[in-house]
Amino acid sequence: MSPSSPGPEYTLCQRPAWELLRDYLDYEYADGRSETFQVARESEAEPLLLDRLGSSLKRINPGLTDTGVRQAINALRQPAAAGLLDANEECYHLLSRWVTVEEMIDGRPTSRSVRFIDYEDPENNDFLVVEEFTVKGPRWLRRLDLVIFVNGIPIVACECKDPADERGIAKAVKDLRAYQNLDEGVVRLFHTIQICMALKRNDARYGTIHTPMSRYAEWKSYYPGTAKELERRIGREATPQDRQLTGMLAKQNLLDIIRNFLVYDRDGGKVVKKVARYQQFEAVNRTIAQITDPASKHPMRDRGGIVWHTQGSGKSLTMLWLCLKLRRVKQLENPTLLIVTDRRDLDRQITLTFKYCGFENPTRAQRVSHLRELLDGPPGQTVMTTVQKFR
């Protein structure tokens, strides 16, 4: 079903976006206005697709009881938070990790960790793109152009604009921010939204919760694929919109971003949610590949390498995201991570970044003897030091 008189916003931006997701990224597609889709929803006030979520929870967590399903869903529906950002952070921790539920097994109360998303096997998840998705807020019924669901959970919100509109991206961002407004918007939808996208075919930007227009960025990478590979599949020249959708929403990449490339930074006492730039995403993943399989593509190289950053381009966050992923690589068996700088102020800055962003137990070596103690200690530590301590 399409609008009765579709304009360029729909024909040149919205439809090509969901067609790319459906036909080349293997998402399921649904029209949010169709009777079939509406009947399957509990109500327009409920942003979760409860039937899909329930069946996904049982598939990902074999043996999970109906009681466990209800507890898991309630944790996601009712986060213990005062405002949108707090609720979004609470839901993010549930989505990127797990929730603990209490079940009765053989007459005994039993605790169980329940995962909402299977990060190890992307194909074990349910990926759905819905166009014209309506949500009822406290005052208004809002309709979003595209919403991407993983296992019935809204994860990405997209607003599409006419490619000929010079202010199209700014208008899309304004709409996305309005939807997050407590009185005028649909805040419950954004409890679980991790990425916001503004699209207009020849331009595409992304941000996250409360991101101002000035911080919306372009995703200029097809990693791990290439532009030629995509163009060969779609039979035409790829647009910036195609590039962003492919680079960020290919199933493996989307799950990787959700789990490893989002952070809530508390620097300065104010919480700011941040998502990686494409350079950081690619650098971290290439580094992981070099560490875990150094001979796969470059047989003459060892495990070393260089990632070049300009000043102020986010090297501390690149290190943070790299450390988060290294912690999760099973074959590395919980390694000790050593971060070496050549200046005390940089050593302090990186340590604070890790702490403000919630990285567990980063330790800053205070003296040469302290560094020696840390490196002689058990594995699994994250140690910050200056090179001068290696006398």
Side-chain angles (χ1 to χ4, degrees):
M1 185 187 298
S2 61
S4 56
S5 300
E9 176 181 309
Y10 183 80
T11 58
L12 299 178
C13 180
Q14 183 171 319
R15 186 173 65 193
W18 64 254
E19 286 180 341
L20 182 79
L21 292 166
R22 182 193 64 182
D23 298 339
Y24 302 104
L25 299 183
D26 297 323
Y27 280 62
E28 188 180 344
Y29 162 81
D31 189 323
R33 299 159 296 190
S34 70
E35 183 177 352
T36 302
F37 183 81
Q38 291 291 347
V39 167
R41 295 181 66 184
E42 180 179 274
S43 73
E44 288 186 319
E46 176 54 71
L48 299 173
L49 305 182
L50 298 177
D51 287 346
R52 284 178 179 265
L53 177 52
S55 60
S56 294
L57 286 169
K58 289 190 173 182
R59 183 179 63 253
I60 295 169
N61 305 275
L64 184 66
T65 65
D66 291 340
T67 299
V69 169
R70 285 194 298 272
Q71 289 180 37
I73 291 176
N74 286 338
L76 205 58
R77 295 175 82 181
Q78 302 169 358
L84 171 57
L85 193 57
D86 290 339
N88 186 265
E89 183 175 11
E90 176 70 20
C91 290
Y92 169 74
H93 289 311
L94 295 174
L95 295 177
S96 61
R97 300 172 187 174
W98 58 83
V99 63
T100 301
V101 302
E102 297 290 335
E103 299 180 293
M104 293 296 294
I105 306 296
D106 296 329
R108 295 183 178 181
T110 304
S111 296
R112 176 172 181 174
S113 296
V114 174
R115 296 175 299 153
F116 290 95
I117 297 174
D118 188 342
Y119 291 101
E120 306 303 323
D121 181 7
E123 294 302 326
N124 195 32
N125 300 288
D126 178 330
F127 292 84
L128 172 71
V129 54
V130 179
E131 71 166 331
E132 304 298 329
F133 182 70
T134 55
V135 187
K136 185 172 177 27
R139 297 182 61 186
W140 305 99
L141 185 69
R142 296 295 190 180
R143 177 176 287 173
L144 284 79
D145 293 335
L146 299 172
V147 177
I148 283 80
F149 292 81
V150 178
N151 299 332
I153 304 166
I155 296 293
V156 183
C158 304
E159 278 298 299
C160 303
K161 297 299 177 184
D162 183 349
D165 188 342
E166 293 182 357
R167 298 193 64 253
I169 293 296
K171 290 178 180 178
V173 173
K174 183 179 179 181
D175 288 344
L176 288 165
R177 288 176 61 84
Y179 298 150
Q180 299 168 45
N181 182 276
L182 181 61
D183 296 321
E184 305 294 330
V186 283
V187 170
R188 283 194 62 210
L189 171 68
F190 286 85
H191 284 182
T192 60
I193 291 289
Q194 304 303 316
I195 300 170
C196 298
M197 286 192 177
L199 307 173
K200 64 166 216 172
R201 185 180 174 85
N202 296 318
D203 195 359
R205 308 292 175 94
Y206 71 97
T208 186
I209 300 300
H210 293 335
T211 302
M213 174 61 202
S214 61
R215 293 292 184 179
Y216 267 71
E218 296 178 83
W219 192 275
K220 297 183 178 181
S221 171
Y222 296 89
Y223 180 85
T226 66
K228 288 184 178 180
E229 289 172 355
L230 177 62
E231 289 172 350
R232 188 162 51 244
R233 292 189 67 194
I234 64 179
R236 58 174 172 79
E237 183 178 354
T239 66
Q241 174 174 298
D242 297 327
R243 180 178 60 200
Q244 179 163 297
L245 292 171
T246 303
M248 298 190 77
L249 301 188
K251 293 178 181 179
Q252 181 65 58
N253 285 8
L254 176 57
L255 298 190
D256 196 9
I257 291 171
I258 295 171
R259 192 184 193 194
N260 300 306
F261 291 92
L262 289 161
V263 73
Y264 296 80
D265 192 344
R266 285 170 165 77
D267 189 6
K270 180 182 178 182
V271 181
V272 178
K273 186 174 183 179
K274 297 179 179 180
V275 59
R277 299 184 180 96
Y278 71 92
Q279 300 99 320
Q280 294 167 314
F281 179 81
E282 190 166 337
V284 168
N285 279 306
R286 287 184 181 274
T287 302
I288 294 290
Q290 183 76 346
I291 291 170
T292 57
D293 191 7
S296 60
K297 293 185 179 180
H298 305 287
M300 301 304 293
R301 293 186 186 176
D302 59 19
R303 297 192 181 205
I306 295 173
V307 177
W308 182 78
H309 272 271
T310 58
Q311 184 175 357
S313 60
K315 56 183 172 291
S316 296
L317 285 174
T318 302
M319 294 181 198
L320 171 72
W321 284 316
L322 174 59
C323 288
L324 284 171
K325 285 209 73 170
L326 286 170
R327 279 272 173 264
R328 291 178 170 138
V329 177
K330 291 182 179 179
Q331 70 192 77
L332 297 180
E333 298 178 342
N334 194 24
T336 290
L337 306 175
L338 181 64
I339 299 174
V340 183
T341 60
D342 61 355
R343 302 196 318 272
R344 282 182 294 179
D345 61 338
L346 188 56
D347 182 41
R348 179 177 179 275
Q349 172 196 322
I350 293 172
T351 303
L352 290 175
T353 295
F354 274 54
K355 288 182 177 179
Y356 290 148
C357 294
F359 190 91
E360 294 182 1
N361 301 321
T363 304
R364 187 182 181 196
Q366 301 299 324
R367 302 171 303 280
V368 174
S369 59
H370 186 208
L371 175 61
R372 185 178 293 112
E373 291 173 9
L374 292 171
L375 296 183
D376 285 340
Q381 300 182 82
T382 303
V383 180
M384 278 75 167
T385 185
T386 54
V387 69
Q388 289 85 354
K389 292 186 175 67
F390 289 91
R391 292 181 179 176

